[in-house]
């Protein structure tokens, strides 16, 4: 028991120094003398066989190994604290801050209307939702979970696929009356293609139909980094737009946009994914959101009911 307590004290000393920035400040928080804090960290370094702090006459800086260990310890401590809170509350009411990141256009159109139901179910949560087309750094920016479209590239994240993400082409009936309906991807070069210049830029439209492959470089007189702006331009007959099926489902149903080349698929079609930093020590509030949004999508993609195939 004495050995276990000594190790606990060593880890607490490292976390305190990492958080406070000095032995004196850490000692004040731990209610110990600064020399005791210094000795505990020295003992931890000897036991692990790695340097955790760089000491100079003016400052203390964590090494890469020290910063990584301090972060892991803090995450474990937070998880234990949250588990105690849930047990004390009988597992009935979740508390704490839940930070979520949604893609801007899709999030506003399809997720924002559903989120109040989640908030009503868990009134003790402090929910913050960030809407942006860029992929936020979940770990660096402190997000609990995010919804992402397309393919995933960050191997540090744990993901769960919620549904398919299909890119489709659409134009207004007026535009097609004036310029004709393209019969193949190759025919798109004769049309005004509205170009998206946002953070998830797709410079080429690579399309396939069975064994056939076509690559188009979208070119036109109208471009924007905002999805809604390009959709409105398409509705008003400016040109042809290519975005996720979710973005045009209501327009297809209302007839304000017509789907073009439905038999062709984009090679960048991917998935709608829920991602989170780690599968270990996942807070109960994050687990609650995972279960809720998984159930939301389990009944089918919401925009498919707007425009059945």
């Amino acid at each position: 028991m004495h050995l276990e307590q000594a190790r606990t004290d060593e880890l607490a000393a490292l976390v305190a120094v990492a958080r406070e920035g000095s032995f004196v400040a850490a000692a004040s928080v731990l209610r110990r003398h600064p020399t005791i804090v210094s000795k505990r960290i020295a003992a931890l370094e000897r036991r692990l066989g790695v340097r955790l702090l760089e000491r100079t006459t003016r400052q203390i800086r964590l090494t890469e190994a020290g910063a990584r260990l301090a972060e892991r310890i803090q995450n474990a401590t937070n998880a234990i604290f949250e588990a105690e809170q849930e047990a004390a509350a009988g597992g009935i009411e979740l508390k704490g801050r839940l930070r979520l990141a949604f893609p801007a256009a899709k999030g506003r159109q399809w997720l924002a209307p559903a989120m109040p139901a989640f908030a009503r179910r868990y009134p003790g949560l402090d929910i913050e939702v960030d809407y942006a087309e860029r992929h936020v750094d979940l770990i660096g920016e402190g997000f609990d979970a995010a919804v992402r479209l397309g393919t995933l590239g960050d191997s540090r994240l744990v993901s769960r696929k919620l549904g398919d993400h299909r890119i489709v082409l659409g134009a207004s009936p007026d535009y097609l009356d004036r310029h004709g309906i393209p019969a193949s991807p190759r025919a798109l070069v004769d049309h005004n293609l509205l170009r998206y210049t946002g953070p998830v830029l797709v410079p080429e439209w690579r399309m396939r139909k069975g064994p056939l492959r076509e690559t188009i470089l979208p070119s036109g007189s109208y471009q924007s980094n905002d999805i809604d702006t390009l959709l409105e331009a398409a509705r008003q007959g400016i040109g042809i737009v290519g975005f996720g099926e979710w973005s045009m489902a209501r327009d297809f149903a209302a007839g304000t946009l017509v789907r073009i080349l439905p038999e062709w698929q984009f090679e960048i079609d991917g998935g709608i994914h829920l991602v989170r930093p780690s599968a270990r020590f996942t807070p109960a509030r994050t687990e609650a959101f995972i279960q809720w949004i998984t159930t939301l999508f389990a009944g089918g993609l919401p925009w498919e009911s707007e425009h059945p195939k």
Side-chain angles (χ1 to χ4, degrees), residues 13 17 23 26-27 33-46 53 55 60:
V17 170
F23 286 129
H33 194 276
T35 57
I36 295 178
V37 175
S38 178
K39 288 179 179 179
R40 286 176 176 172
I41 293 180
L44 179 60
E45 289 177 324
R46 287 194 301 272
L53 298 177
R55 302 164 177 84
I60 296 174

Side-chain angles (χ1 to χ4, degrees), residues 261-283:
L261 301 175
E263 69 277 13
W264 286 81
Q265 292 179 295
F266 277 72
E267 291 190 356
I268 60 171
D269 286 355
I272 302 163
H273 302 275
L274 177 70
V275 296
R276 65 185 189 279
S278 173
R280 299 182 64 190
F281 308 119
T282 302

Side-chain angles (χ1 to χ4, degrees), residues 193-197 218 220-226 229-230 233 238:
L193 305 182
L194 309 184
R195 292 181 296 157
Y196 177 65
T197 59
S221 62
Y222 201 97
Q223 62 183 2
S224 175
N225 66 345
D226 181 69
T229 294
L230 295 180
I238 301 301

